[in-house]
Amino acid sequence: MALIVHKYGGTSMGSTERIRNVAKRVAKWARAGHRMVVVPSAMSGETNRLLGLAKELAPAKPTTPYNRELDMLASTGEQASSALLAIALQSEGVQAVSYTGWQMGVQTDSSYTKARIERIDDERVRADLDAGRVVVVTGFQGVDELGNITTLGRGGSDTSAVAIAAAMKADECLIYTDVDGVYTTDPRVEPDARRLAKISFEEMLEMASLGSKVLQIRSVEFAGKYRVPLRVLSSFTPWDIDINEEAVSGTLITFEEDETMEQAVVSGIAFSRDEAKISVLGVPDKPGIAYHILGAVADANIEVDVIIQNLSKDGKTDFSFTVNRAEFARTVDLLKTKVLPTLGAADIVGDTKICKVSIVGIGMRSHVGVASKMFRVLSEEGINIQMISTSEIKTSVVIDEKYMELAVRALHKAFDLDQPAN
Ligand code: ADP
Ligand code: ASP
Ligand code: MG
């Protein structure tokens, strides 16, 4: 008898009809003899709707009291969908009970809107499973030491599911979504994208961190740390397909590079519109400058991604970096008020109309010329590269946002990702 965690995303939970389908699918797994824990997201659009209401009343402010209330608010979306799923399961004749993050004991830190799970107390759930119940646990939320409700960042239900699977030593965590697996790139941008039967954990981690929102990055980190068997698959197949067929469908995240792994040099392309570029111009070129600028940004708890410093001319240089687009205004304001006056820099310019496109593949470790091929392909399309960043298994470029789809498609083709793997 296996212990299985299912996670269903917002679109999969998007209407009562879809919730009934989820219930029928879960009931099928329970009747096959599995112990089932199910983690649903809020119904699609609900989290945005709730956060939109808050913004109508008061524009987003990065203050703790404001963010605390956002979590109190946004967490209700998952509470509603969990109860609805438990009701649907009961109407399928399955004993089911739903719990919120705090009832279940999902302990997090207190960083509202992006809390991290620290501990999960699974005693209550185990007792229910022993009594033959299906347990539904809200995704996306937890509770801090003082009993405040927290949320785990957008897309955080993936992380709830994988963390619960890790804590309970589940046999497998199945992430059901609106595509039938992990593709070579987002199939909504490149219709020729191919589903990967397997992807290595390291590649999945890069893809998620570089913008492929099919899995939240923290869920992949959890899966790696605790070796949780993880699969991404479709919730849109007929609920009554053969369970053995369903169990091997989609994309498996693998932890070992086995013989059968697709040996492409580049496995996937990720992209993100979430960034903005900031340049500090006319900075005196002397030791401590990077620290002076980025130290202030880090102290304000703003994450910096790609960084470049230009060659200096006449003792002055330009220093550019990217931050999350949501942090753009705050970063510019901080630099203008705190850094410019003490630095003697000339000016700050920003650009929010950029994007980051990345190629990812463990094959890049052992192949040279992959990055240069990427640059050539982009130049052939007339796309100007503004910034570059590389690591062992990825190369990212920052380009004008209007060329994002063109860049993704050109790279997808140039690296033969539209061709079946041999
Ligand atoms: P859910 O609501 O189920 O959590 P998400 O919208 O968060 O679903 O994630 C699924 C979406 O991720 C897909 O609809 C797809 O557009 C997008 N996506 C981005 N990159 C990829 C990729 N490489 N493979 C598959 N889907 C991707
Ligand atoms: N409902 C949350 C969101 O929209 C969490 C999730 O869907 O994973 O971000
Ligand atoms: Mg998601």
Side-chain angles (χ1 to χ4, degrees):
M1 215 198 226
L3 171 56
I4 309 280
V5 176
H6 279 193
K7 180 259 172 177
Y8 291 90
T11 317
S12 313
M13 295 289 294
S15 62
T16 47
E17 193 190 336
R18 287 191 177 160
I19 292 176
R20 191 178 299 286
N21 258 300
V22 168
K24 286 182 189 291
R25 190 182 298 275
V26 172
K28 174 182 75 179
W29 281 74
R31 291 198 178 105
H34 298 304
R35 291 153 69 87
M36 299 299 301
V37 177
V38 189
V39 179
S41 292
M43 294 171 76
S44 57
E46 180 62 3
T47 311
N48 286 344
R49 187 186 74 85
L50 292 166
L51 296 175
L53 291 176
K55 274 204 191 122
E56 270 179 40
L57 292 170
K61 283 188 288 237
T63 61
T64 304
Y66 184 86
N67 285 340
R68 180 190 183 280
E69 301 313 321
L70 286 186
D71 282 4
M72 179 82 178
L73 175 68
S75 64
T76 62
E78 270 70 11
Q79 186 170 337
S81 63
S82 294
L84 290 170
L85 180 56
I87 289 167
L89 281 162
Q90 289 168 3
S91 91
E92 293 300 318
V94 173
Q95 283 192 65
V97 58
S98 71
Y99 293 121
T100 61
W102 66 266
Q103 287 174 315
M104 154 89 187
V106 179
Q107 283 285 330
T108 70
D109 64 17
S110 302
S111 339
Y112 300 115
T113 75
K114 48 175 186 252
R116 282 182 179 270
I117 295 177
E118 290 175 340
R119 201 172 58 249
I120 291 181
D121 176 9
D122 61 358
E123 216 173 299
R124 197 164 178 178
V125 177
R126 285 200 186 276
D128 283 312
L129 293 175
D130 288 345
R133 290 183 199 108
V134 168
V135 182
V136 182
V137 183
T138 49
F140 185 47
Q141 60 175 267
V143 63
D144 76 0
E145 241 180 10
L146 297 172
N148 298 298
I149 293 176
T150 55
T151 67
L152 310 179
R154 298 308 303 267
S157 298
D158 298 332
T159 303
S160 307
V162 179
I164 289 168
M168 300 194 71
K169 301 199 170 41
D171 294 280
E172 194 162 14
C173 180
L174 303 179
I175 307 282
Y176 285 87
T177 184
D178 55 6
V179 281
D180 64 354
V182 178
Y183 277 66
T184 46
T185 192
D186 188 340
R188 289 179 213 287
V189 165
E190 171 52 277
D192 287 337
R194 278 184 312 108
R195 180 175 62 80
L196 300 162
K198 295 178 179 184
I199 184 169
S200 75
F201 154 72
E202 286 167 287
E203 287 168 324
M204 193 62 242
L205 196 63
E206 286 287 4
M207 292 281 281
S209 84
L210 296 167
S212 299
K213 66 167 186 162
V214 60
L215 286 177
Q216 197 201 36
I217 180 163
R218 284 189 191 160
S219 71
V220 188
E221 286 169 355
F222 257 102
K225 190 162 171 196
Y226 298 101
R227 289 286 190 267
V228 180
L230 186 61
R231 183 179 289 278
V232 176
L233 67 171
S234 172
S235 69
F236 290 158
T237 54
W239 67 267
D240 56 354
I241 59 167
D242 179 69
I243 195 167
N244 297 313
E245 188 189 318
E246 186 175 323
V248 295
S249 66
T251 301
L252 180 69
I253 318 301
T254 59
F255 298 101
E256 277 121 46
E257 292 175 37
D258 65 36
E259 300 285 295
T260 57
M261 276 224 17
E262 297 176 17
Q263 287 300 331
V265 179
V266 171
S267 303
I269 298 175
F271 52 84
S272 163
R273 283 192 184 87
D274 289 344
E275 297 194 30
K277 186 172 84 166
I278 295 170
S279 300
V280 189
L281 307 177
V283 181
D285 193 12
K286 58 180 193 206
I289 285 304
Y291 173 66
H292 196 100
I293 298 172
L294 298 181
V297 175
D299 288 347
N301 214 0
I302 299 169
E303 235 174 272
V304 167
D305 185 17
V306 186
I307 304 169
I308 53 168
Q309 182 175 343
N310 287 351
L311 269 183
S312 74
K313 200 170 163 243
D314 306 326
K316 300 265 183 190
T317 185
D318 300 335
F319 193 89
S320 303
F321 58 95
T322 62
V323 294
N324 193 294
R325 217 176 264 190
E327 301 280 20
F328 175 74
R330 189 156 81 93
T331 315
V332 170
D333 189 51
L334 172 91
L335 292 172
K336 283 199 167 146
T337 53
K338 301 242 166 74
V339 176
L340 265 197
T342 55
L343 190 67
D347 202 5
I348 290 171
V349 290
D351 186 354
T352 52
K353 294 205 162 40
I354 56 146
C355 68
K356 186 170 71 172
V357 176
S358 311
I359 54 174
V360 174
I362 39 181
M364 287 167 73
R365 270 189 198 136
S366 48
H367 286 77
V368 291
V370 183
S372 70
K373 177 168 172 181
M374 178 188 202
F375 306 150
R376 175 171 56 74
V377 172
L378 295 175
S379 82
E380 281 166 4
E381 298 294 338
I383 300 172
N384 183 41
I385 299 171
Q386 304 178 17
M387 302 167 109
I388 299 170
S389 111
T390 63
S391 75
E392 215 186 6
I393 66 164
K394 68 113 202 236
T395 301
S396 303
V397 295
V398 171
I399 60 173
D400 189 324
E401 184 186 50
K402 68 173 179 259
Y403 298 124
M404 193 189 83
E405 299 190 351
L406 175 64
V408 169
R409 293 200 190 124
L411 292 167
H412 194 267
K413 190 158 181 39
F415 286 103
D416 295 327
L417 292 176
D418 51 348
Q419 302 300 320
N422 42 30

